[in-house]
Each structure stands twice: as C-alpha cells, then as structure tokens.
Amino acid sequence: MSDYILSCSSTVDLTPQQMKERNIRYVCFHFILDGQDHKDDMGQSIAPEELYSRMVAGAEAKTSQVALGEYTEYFEQLLQEGKDILHVEFSSGLSGSYNSARLVVEDLKEKYPDRKIYLVDSLAASSGYGLIMETLADMRDAGKSVEELYQWIEENRLRMHHWFFSTDLTFYIRGGRISKTAGAVGTLLGICPLLNMDNLGRLQPREKIRTKKKVIRRIVEMMEAHAQDGTEYSGKCYICQSACLDDAKAVAALVEEKFPKLQGKVEIYPIGATIGSHTGPGTVALFFWGDERKN
C-alpha cells in the first residue's frame, strides 16, 4: 500500500472501473448539454453514444472546467486521509484547469504543512492523459516513491504522443475552428485533417489528407516515425474514438500489424464529453510513448 494518492481529472477518457481498480482518484469536469449541466464522469451520467447522437440531432454542447471551490473540496478530502498527493492535471494548452488547481494547491500547502502536494501539468488530453496515469500507477505499484513519480513525469510527459484525425468536419465548422467555406470544400473533397498535440499541450493541424483510407495509413505512419524504438515499440498503445468505432478498429488492426511487440492489444476507448463536445462524432485519436514532442 503506497503512502501517497495518485490523482487526476476525469478527462483521462478511461473507465470508472479502471480508475477504481488502479486506485487512481479523479475530480470531474463539467459539460453543458442543451443548457443542462452534467458531470464529465466518464460516461456514467450520459453515455458517449447518447451525447453524440444528441449532438447530431442538434443539441448544443459546451464544456466547463473545475471551479476553485470544487478543487478545494476535492483536495481537502484527499489530504484528510493523511497521505501525500501527486495530482496530474489536464493540459494547460487546452484549459485553465491547471492554473486553478495550482492556486488551490498553493493555499492548501500552507494549511497542511505536514503534507506534500505535487502538481503536474500533463500537457496531455483524453486517453493519452489516461495512458500517462496508467503508467504512473504501474510505477507506484512497483514501489516507486511519490518523489520518483513526480520527477519522472516532469521529465517524460512530452514523450506521450497524440495524433488524431476527423472524418466529420461538422462540429469543427459549428465551433468556428474551420470556416464554413473551408469546411464545405473539405467535406466535398473528402478531406480528413490530421492533427497532433505540440510541446505546449495545444492541438495543431498538420496535414489535410483526402479519404479515410489514406488518413488511417498516415496516422500509423506517424507512429512508425515517432514511437520509442520505431516498429520495435513494446509499450502500450491506446486509441479513442467518437461514434466511429469501425474506424478506430481499422487503425488498431494496422498498428498491431506494424508493431508486433506491443504490450498487449491496442485498447480502444470512447472520447469523453470534455473533448467530444468540441470534436463531435467522427474523430479517432492514437496515443503512444515516443520521442519528445516538438512544435
């Protein structure tokens, strides 16, 4: 039994059962669907399938980060267990949640001087963030100290790669991330944008690829180019998807063919409400450990 608590936010896009089994605590983000507030609790309140079907039907989805008071209540509950905390937060390149958590942690360090609270900006999102937490849980269970985990993730967080594509531009247009004109042309030509996460934890468009078949090949080529040890990669690989499971399975099959030494099968998860409220359906993301991410 470790003498510290491993913690994150609900935007890791794993499952509640996994979080319980791995003994990883989490604080919930929020999303607003047609004006009604819900917790982003990994699909327990509203299943991903329902979220995406309602969005397609015209429902408006927005997101809301964790409030300062929620962070305070959450961290105090953990501190009252008498253990130190390592909390890894959702990317500061996508949300102000890290800065909110930092303000609360600074106050609580004064209130609980005998406890250590380590806070890390993951510079990660979705199941890439989840793969980071799973890796840290493995290290904790192997007997590593909280200080060792903190130092390791600070040094290695940029090695978690996020590559993703979308086959449906509807919600990129609706959210203003793509102009209506560019979106109409892209849809007509069958453009599937390929994006990744940069070294500041921001999502960046990289290539415009025609046809789903080509973008599936291309995303796996990115893994070949960047994975630790190339096609000899022996770590875990996660994929997440928003209402396009067949596309995710096609990527997984190609990854398993190209990387025979993977640690287990590729694991596929649904994209949760925080990310999915912005992407809508049709997005597939690929996560793996590799070289250090650059601009």
Side-chain angles (χ1 to χ4, degrees), residues 28-225:
C28 290
F29 270 56
H30 296 260
F31 67 101
I32 300 95
L33 189 62
D34 271 347
Q36 185 174 358
D37 185 88
H38 303 273
K39 283 187 175 181
D40 180 0
D41 54 7
M42 303 183 194
Q44 295 179 90
S45 298
I46 294 183
E49 296 81 5
E50 180 183 351
L51 169 66
Y52 296 122
S53 65
R54 288 176 63 175
M55 289 176 71
V56 169
E60 182 181 18
K62 299 180 179 179
T63 56
S64 174
Q65 65 188 50
V66 183
L68 290 173
E70 290 178 293
Y71 273 124
T72 300
E73 181 181 1
Y74 171 73
F75 285 128
E76 287 216 87
Q77 287 177 346
L78 299 185
L79 288 165
Q80 286 165 10
E81 296 182 26
K83 294 185 177 183
D84 297 332
I85 301 170
L86 172 60
H87 181 81
V88 184
E89 188 51 66
F90 187 57
S91 174
S92 62
L94 299 177
S95 168
S97 58
Y98 170 75
N99 285 328
S100 295
R102 180 178 54 80
L103 292 172
V104 170
V105 166
E106 288 174 357
D107 287 341
L108 291 177
K109 282 181 177 179
E110 295 182 8
K111 187 175 180 180
Y112 295 86
D114 295 332
R115 297 267 63 84
K116 297 175 183 176
I117 312 175
Y118 296 93
L119 177 65
V120 177
D121 179 356
S122 70
L123 300 175
S126 196
S127 300
Y129 181 16
L131 183 47
I132 283 176
M133 297 310 300
E134 286 268 21
T135 303
L136 291 173
D138 289 341
M139 295 173 67
R140 176 204 60 200
D141 295 348
K144 299 291 186 182
S145 68
V146 66
E147 291 85 4
E148 288 175 306
L149 263 64
Y150 173 70
Q151 182 177 356
W152 186 87
I153 190 55
E154 283 283 352
E155 294 174 354
N156 290 277
R157 58 188 174 174
L158 289 178
R159 292 180 47 242
M160 175 51 58
H161 277 256
H162 305 57
W163 288 90
F164 65 103
F165 65 82
S166 182
T167 58
D168 186 343
L169 304 180
T170 303
F171 292 91
Y172 291 85
I173 298 168
R174 188 178 296 180
R177 287 175 291 278
I178 297 177
S179 71
K180 290 183 179 180
T181 301
V185 172
T187 300
L188 182 65
L189 296 176
I191 297 295
C192 301
L194 179 68
L195 307 90
N196 79 336
M197 183 168 278
D198 68 11
N199 63 331
L200 297 178
R202 304 170 302 187
L203 304 181
Q204 300 287 1
R206 299 301 183 187
E207 298 178 14
K208 297 176 182 178
I209 300 173
R210 291 189 65 176
T211 78
K212 182 192 300 185
K213 187 175 181 179
K214 288 181 180 178
V215 80
I216 287 173
R217 287 203 305 266
R218 186 59 174 156
I219 199 171
V220 178
E221 287 173 0
M222 292 298 99
M223 183 170 175
E224 291 180 87

